[in-house]
């Protein structure tokens, strides 16, 4: 957790501080060691977000690419009384969730139903073999849309990307960047690969997107319009 309330002010963790969780109003303490990312920790999390997970450096680095007021936005469902903390939520209504660890299909579906206009960003570097498979099967990306060199129709999408992400109802973006420093992976360095929920017949739609253009489209409020126009 990146933010908590300290004397009523939304603050990042600093050594020696105590605060209050914005979600559950419980006391939290700043954890600022040398190994894990600085964060706020509950004394107990039994009454807080059931979708909570430990935050990695990858996760925090992604959040820090967006304005502070977009980060860790509280969502409340008045009818079900559910309360959750979105990684990123924009003024134009786009939610971005960064996912490093594995989650169950049931939880994934619940999050897609709960959040508005969700985009998953998945850490593709967590398992090196998955990226190696992606590289090996990248010939599946050879079928281009006319005049759109970075948008592809892909058959056998499960051979290219992890199957537990290929049937989502929202866009899923794979981030392989932290393992693309080697020369053999140079062609994908600095790029993200997005699979859309729509299909062309039995073929999936995959787009190659630069990190800069993805972030800009979210911050500038252009993502929704661009996707609608494309689809």
């Amino acid at each position: 957790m990146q933010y908590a309330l300290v004397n009523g002010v939304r603050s990042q963790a600093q050594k020696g501080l105590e605060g209050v969780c914005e979600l559950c109003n419980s006391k939290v303490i700043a954890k600022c060691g040398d190994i894990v990312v600085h964060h706020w920790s509950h004394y107990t999390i039994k009454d807080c977000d059931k979708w909570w997970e430990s935050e990695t450096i990858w996760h925090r680095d992604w959040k820090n690419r967006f304005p502070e007021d977009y980060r860790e936005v509280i969502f409340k469902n008045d009818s079900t009384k559910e309360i959750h903390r979105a990684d990123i939520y924009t003024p134009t209504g786009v939610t971005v969730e960064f996912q490093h660890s594995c989650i169950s299909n049931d939880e994934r579906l619940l999050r897609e139903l709960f959040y508005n206009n969700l985009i998953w960003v998945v850490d593709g570097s967590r398992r090196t073999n998955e990226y190696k498979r992606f590289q090996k099967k990248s010939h599946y990306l050879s079928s281009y849309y006319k005049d759109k060199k970075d948008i592809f129709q892909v058959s056998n999408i499960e051979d290219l990307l992890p199957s537990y992400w290929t049937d989502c109802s929202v866009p899923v973006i794979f981030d392989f960047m932290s393992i693309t420093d080697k020369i053999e992976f140079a062609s994908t360095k600095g790029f993200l690969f997005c699979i859309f929920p729509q299909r062309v017949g039995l073929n999936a739609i995959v787009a190659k997107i630069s990190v800069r253009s993805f972030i800009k489209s979210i911050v500038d409020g252009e993502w929704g319009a661009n996707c609608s126009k494309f689809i």
Side-chain angles (χ1 to χ4, degrees):
M1 189 167 63
Q2 187 171 9
Y3 296 97
L5 298 177
V6 179
N7 297 323
V9 178
R10 197 170 193 249
S11 307
Q12 298 197 46
Q14 297 181 42
K15 192 171 184 178
L17 287 183
E18 290 187 342
V20 175
C21 174
E22 294 181 283
L23 190 67
C24 66
N25 297 315
S26 298
K27 289 184 178 179
V28 292
I29 186 171
K31 294 292 184 71
C32 301
D34 297 326
I35 299 176
V36 297
V37 64
H38 292 190
H39 65 284
W40 293 99
S41 177
H42 289 77
Y43 286 99
T44 174
I45 62 171
K46 64 179 181 180
D47 296 322
C48 201
D49 193 344
K50 63 183 179 181
W51 293 338
W52 173 89
E53 62 181 16
S54 298
E55 191 167 85
T56 63
I57 293 174
W58 172 86
H59 198 140
R60 179 64 61 84
D61 284 347
W62 261 110
K63 284 164 65 174
N64 286 343
R65 290 180 166 108
F66 294 87
E68 281 198 88
D69 57 346
Y70 290 15
R71 306 176 205 164
E72 295 190 357
V73 176
I74 306 302
F75 270 70
K76 297 180 181 180
N77 185 312
D78 292 333
S79 60
T80 65
K81 306 303 180 184
E82 271 192 276
I83 304 177
H84 296 290
R85 181 186 291 106
D87 286 330
I88 299 294
Y89 183 69
T90 76
T92 56
V94 175
T95 303
V96 184
E97 284 282 275
F98 303 109
Q99 192 63 38
H100 169 76
S101 61
C102 287
I103 58 173
S104 68
N105 285 336
D106 287 343
E107 181 178 326
R108 192 203 72 201
L109 178 59
L110 287 173
R111 291 204 209 181
E112 292 172 13
L113 292 171
F114 182 82
Y115 287 123
N116 296 334
N117 199 10
L118 177 64
I119 305 165
W120 288 108
V121 177
V122 176
D123 185 1
S125 69
R126 194 176 70 87
R127 294 178 177 174
T128 304
N129 286 340
E130 287 186 352
Y131 183 71
K132 289 181 177 179
R133 182 182 68 170
F134 177 83
Q135 283 289 105
K136 185 177 180 180
K137 301 288 186 178
S138 60
H139 61 272
Y140 285 126
L141 296 177
S142 62
S143 179
Y144 296 86
Y145 278 98
K146 185 178 180 181
D147 299 326
K148 297 181 183 294
K149 65 178 182 178
D150 290 330
I151 300 174
F152 315 93
Q153 289 189 42
V154 183
S155 60
N156 302 314
I157 188 64
E158 294 80 8
D159 291 342
L160 185 70
L161 296 167
S163 59
Y164 45 87
W165 289 111
T166 57
D167 63 347
C168 290
S169 62
V170 301
V172 181
I173 292 177
F174 291 87
D175 171 18
F176 296 113
M177 289 186 295
S178 61
I179 55 173
T180 56
D181 289 332
K182 296 181 179 180
I183 189 71
E184 63 266 33
F185 299 150
S187 64
T188 56
K189 185 173 176 59
F191 286 94
L192 308 166
F193 292 87
C194 178
I195 177 172
F196 294 91
Q198 292 79 12
R199 293 291 186 267
V200 179
L202 297 177
N203 293 342
I205 305 170
V206 175
K208 182 179 178 182
I209 308 170
S210 73
V211 176
R212 181 178 179 181
S213 64
F214 170 64
I215 295 170
K216 184 178 185 301
S217 72
I218 299 298
V219 173
D220 292 351
E222 298 170 349
W223 174 266
N226 288 348
C227 286
S228 296
K229 183 178 179 180
F230 161 66
I231 291 166

